Amino acid sequence: MPNPICRALGIRYPILLGGLLNIGKAPLVAAVSAAGGLGILGAGAWDGNELRDQIHQVRERTDRPFGVNVVVRSAYSEEHVRIVIDERLPVVTTSAGDPMRYTATLKDNGVYVMHVVPTVAYALRAERAGVDAIVAEGSESGGFTSLEEISTFVLVPQVVDAVRCPVLAAGGIGDGRGLAAALMLGAVGVQVGTRFLGSVECGIPAAYKESLLTAQDTDTILTRSPRAAHRDLKKDLVARVLAHEREERSEEGLPKSGKALPVWSAGQVAGLVREILPAKELIERMVREAREGISAFSGMPEWLSG
Ligand SMILES: Cc1cc2nc3c(=O)[nH]c(=O)nc-3n(C[C@H](O)[C@H](O)[C@H](O)COP(=O)(O)O)c2cc1C
C-alpha cells in the first residue's frame, strides 16, 4: 500500500526532519532529503533574505524535495509564506499558531501543508483549516511544547481516531523501535528533531553534541511560561544562564553582544543519542531497525496468537 506522504511528496521514507529553530540549516536539510527523508528548514527566526539564501543553498546540494517550517506566530511568517510560494517549494510544516491563518493561501498555490499539534482539539482545528496532514507532537519532544503535556504514546492514537487526514508522530522517536511503535499507534510517518541534532551535518557547537551523547533519560527539563513550555538539556543550563546574566548590558538591559541566551534544546529521547552519525545513516538505520523489529513479530507471542 503506497504511503500517502511519500506519494504526495515524492519521497522514499515518511521521515521528516522537524523544523529546528536556527539549527535546521541547508547542510542538514539537504542531507535528510538526499537520504530519502524530508528535510525542513528551521526558518522561524530568519528574515526573508536568510530564508531565500538557505533555500538556494539546499538546492545547490540536492534536487530532492524539501520544505520550510513556518512558525505562524513569528514576525516573519507572512514573508515566509510569500517566499515559499515564490520559490515554488512543495511542502511546509506550520506550527505555533492558528492553522486557519495560512493553510488556504498555501494550498491554493499548490503547497502541501502539515500542521503540528499538541492536542486533539488543535488537530480538529487543523483539519477544519484543510491541512493535508497533521503532525501530532508529544510533550517529550525538544524545543517549544504545549502546556498540556500529553505524551506521544497517548496523543497519537487519539489524534488518529479524531481526524481523517494522515497523521505523523513526533516526540521521543530516536530509532527504528520508535518508528515501528509510531506506525503501530496509527501514524503514517514520523517527525524527528532531537536525534538529528546528533548528526554529522547538524551545525550545533561541539559541547552541545557532547551533552547529547552523555545525556540520560532524566537530563532534560521543561520550563513553563504563561503561553508555552520549553524542553532543554539540564546540563550547563545554570552556568549558561549565569553567564548571560553577567554579560554587559545596554541601558535598556539588553545584552551588548546582542546574543540571546544560548539554550540547548533537546527532547527526552536525548538519552538514546549515543553516536554522532551522518543523517543518511541515521535514516537508513531507523528504517532497517523498524523493518527487522516488525518482521520479528511474525513469530507471534503465544499469548497473543489466540
Ligand atoms: C533544538 C530544537 C528546536 C526546535 N525548533 C522548532 C521550531 O522552530 N519549530 C517547530 O515547529 N518545532 C521545533 N522543534 C520541534 C521539532 O520540530 C520536532 O517536532 C521535535 O523535536 C520532535 O521531538 P524529538 O525532539 O523528541 O525528536 C524544535 C526541536 C528542537 C530539539
Side-chain angles (χ1 to χ4, degrees):
M1 197 172 44
N3 178 279
I5 305 290
C6 294
R7 194 183 47 212
L9 298 174
I11 58 175
R12 184 157 184 211
Y13 305 123
I15 299 176
L16 276 53
L17 164 67
L20 302 175
L21 197 73
N22 276 332
I23 292 173
K25 294 187 178 172
L28 179 56
V29 170
V32 169
S33 286
L38 184 72
I40 307 267
L41 286 165
W46 297 337
D47 65 18
N49 290 336
E50 176 75 24
L51 176 56
R52 276 193 202 272
D53 183 49
Q54 290 287 333
I55 291 172
H56 298 160
Q57 284 189 46
V58 180
R59 286 191 172 139
E60 278 164 22
R61 291 174 155 88
T62 182
D63 58 4
R64 302 306 303 150
F66 65 96
V68 169
N69 174 226
V70 174
V71 177
V72 177
R73 249 184 243 134
S74 154
Y76 303 110
S77 62
E78 225 173 286
E79 197 179 357
H80 289 175
V81 166
R82 264 203 316 276
I83 292 171
V84 162
I85 293 167
D86 197 43
E87 294 280 347
R88 300 186 172 281
L89 284 183
V91 53
V92 300
T93 54
T94 54
S95 60
D98 192 348
M100 296 287 173
R101 189 151 164 212
Y102 297 122
T103 302
T105 309
L106 286 161
K107 290 201 59 174
D108 286 350
N109 285 278
V111 182
Y112 191 87
V113 180
M114 297 187 261
H115 189 68
V116 184
V117 305
T119 63
V120 169
Y122 279 106
L124 290 169
R125 185 162 177 84
E127 189 175 51
R128 278 201 301 282
V131 301
D132 295 290
I134 285 171
V135 180
E137 187 193 59
S139 63
E140 53 270 75
S141 69
F144 278 105
T145 63
S146 152
L147 288 168
E148 303 292 347
E149 290 189 45
I150 306 173
S151 72
T152 305
F153 205 85
V154 171
L155 178 67
V156 171
Q158 293 188 66
V159 171
V160 166
D161 284 350
V163 300
R164 291 197 185 149
C165 63
V167 175
L168 295 100
I173 296 152
D175 61 17
R177 293 170 296 182
L179 169 58
L183 299 179
M184 285 293 153
L185 295 177
V188 300
V190 294
Q191 166 162 294
V192 174
T194 298
R195 188 61 191 91
F196 283 124
L197 293 175
S199 66
V200 171
E201 294 85 353
C202 181
I204 56 175
Y208 189 166
K209 285 192 187 174
E210 193 54 41
S211 298
L212 286 165
L213 289 173
T214 54
Q216 303 300 311
D217 52 352
T218 49
D219 281 342
T220 68
I221 186 165
L222 194 71
T223 324
R224 296 168 71 91
S225 57
R227 285 182 72 189
H230 206 268
R231 187 177 295 285
D232 307 302
L233 286 171
K234 281 182 195 166
K235 186 166 178 347
D236 297 335
L237 188 64
V238 174
R240 282 180 278 127
V241 171
L242 291 178
H244 187 68
E245 293 281 301
R246 278 196 299 271
E247 213 179 327
E248 251 194 280
R249 305 270 156 165
S250 68
E251 278 176 21
E252 300 82 51
L254 299 171
K256 280 215 166 135
S257 67
K259 281 188 200 141
L261 174 67
V263 176
W264 290 351
S265 298
Q268 291 176 336
V269 76
L272 273 185
V273 180
R274 296 292 79 127
E275 254 183 303
I276 307 297
L277 293 169
K280 180 174 173 11
E281 201 171 330
L282 279 175
I283 291 175
E284 285 173 356
R285 271 195 194 190
M286 213 177 253
V287 170
R288 194 173 59 242
E289 284 170 7
R291 183 189 305 127
E292 288 169 5
I294 290 171
S295 60
F297 274 97
S298 57
M300 177 96 60
E302 197 189 359
W303 60 269
L304 198 55
S305 60

